[in-house]
Amino acid sequence: MKIKFYFVFFLLSQTYILNAQKAYVVNDFLKGHTLYFAKQTKNSKTEEYYRLTENQTKKTVLEYGSKQLSKSELSKTAKITTFKSIPESNIRVLGDVNFDGRTDVILFNNEKNDDEGCYTPQATAYIFINMSNSFVLSNSISDLYYNSFCVRGGGFEIDAKNKRLITSSSGGAALHVCSYYSVSGLEAKEECTFEEDGNSFPFLKITGKNEKVMISYLFRLYLFTSQT
């Protein structure tokens, strides 16, 4: 009787482990590439694995996460699906963040940090730049992205027309901070930053550095207010 009980318990435990593991193959994540995504939850701990393969060369151009989830035992059970069918994944197409004509990718940690001094808990971001033969992590742009959302009312914008990155934050309805960054390869460099203080309405006080950029911004602001 005990032997039967242990056997049933073993089957149930194996079923639990199987159900806690998921693997997917996605063909519509990024043109010309195949995404393999695996996820495992065990003892309330979640692990993930991402592998992006170039279709033509069959070369792995991006790999991130727990490599033990890349083992053939789990990959054999992988389900072919569309990217929108796996909303629990933490990988996204970001756009051309360094303006070299190639699409870049962002990955988020599956856990949010609540002890980093941010206004709200944030997941660590990892931005991978699409180089000629692989995706390479940019610590500079990753930090910029994370820090932009670490503050109240934070934002991150890719300004493709002017080939620059823009971060913004809000200290309330009357206080806004904006910074412009140029990008070269894997590095982002701050070109200017300025602060809008509207506490002296109807006047708007703007302080910062880089006079040329500020004059350009004020001109656009004037045009906007004139048309509204």
Side-chain angles (χ1 to χ4, degrees), residues 20-26 29 34-41 45-53 58-76 78 83 86 88-91 107-110 128:
Q21 294 180 328
K22 299 178 181 179
Y24 303 94
V25 173
V26 180
F29 171 71
T34 297
L35 173 67
Y36 172 77
F37 165 55
K39 182 176 182 178
Q40 173 180 272
T41 302
K45 182 181 179 181
T46 299
E47 294 181 328
E48 295 180 345
Y49 173 77
Y50 299 87
R51 182 177 65 239
L52 195 62
T53 305
K58 305 301 180 183
K59 178 184 177 181
T60 297
V61 292
L62 189 156
E63 191 174 30
Y64 173 84
S66 179
K67 289 188 177 181
Q68 68 177 15
L69 297 181
S70 66
K71 295 179 179 179
S72 59
E73 292 82 2
L74 180 58
S75 61
K76 289 178 180 178
F83 182 67
I86 49 172
E88 71 268 27
S89 69
N90 289 303
I91 189 171
L107 270 156
F108 297 95
N109 196 313
N110 60 1
F128 290 85

Side-chain angles (χ1 to χ4, degrees), residues 64-184:
Y64 173 84
S66 179
K67 289 188 177 181
Q68 68 177 15
L69 297 181
S70 66
K71 295 179 179 179
S72 59
E73 292 82 2
L74 180 58
S75 61
K76 289 178 180 178
T77 67
K79 176 183 177 182
I80 299 176
T81 187
T82 59
F83 182 67
K84 66 179 182 179
S85 300
I86 49 172
E88 71 268 27
S89 69
N90 289 303
I91 189 171
R92 300 288 184 271
V93 171
L94 183 61
D96 185 5
V97 76
N98 66 337
F99 314 108
D100 63 354
R102 292 187 289 262
T103 303
D104 306 308
V105 169
I106 185 170
L107 270 156
F108 297 95
N109 196 313
N110 60 1
E111 294 182 358
K112 292 186 176 182
N113 301 317
D114 57 3
D115 58 352
E116 297 292 325
C118 292
Y119 188 73
T120 57
Q122 299 292 325
T124 303
Y126 303 96
I127 293 177
F128 290 85
I129 304 300
N130 189 350
M131 308 299 280
S132 58
N133 57 1
S134 65
F135 284 77
V136 180
L137 175 65
S138 168
N139 290 312
S140 173
I141 304 176
S142 297
D143 290 344
L144 179 62
Y145 184 96
Y146 177 82
N147 291 330
S148 68
F149 289 103
C150 193
V151 295
R152 180 179 178 183
F156 179 93
E157 178 187 348
I158 300 174
D159 183 358
K161 181 179 179 180
N162 297 294
K163 295 186 177 181
R164 64 189 177 188
L165 303 178
I166 303 175
T167 64
S168 58
S169 62
S170 172
L175 183 63
H176 303 88
V177 179
C178 187
S179 299
Y180 294 164
Y181 296 82
S182 62
V183 182
S184 177

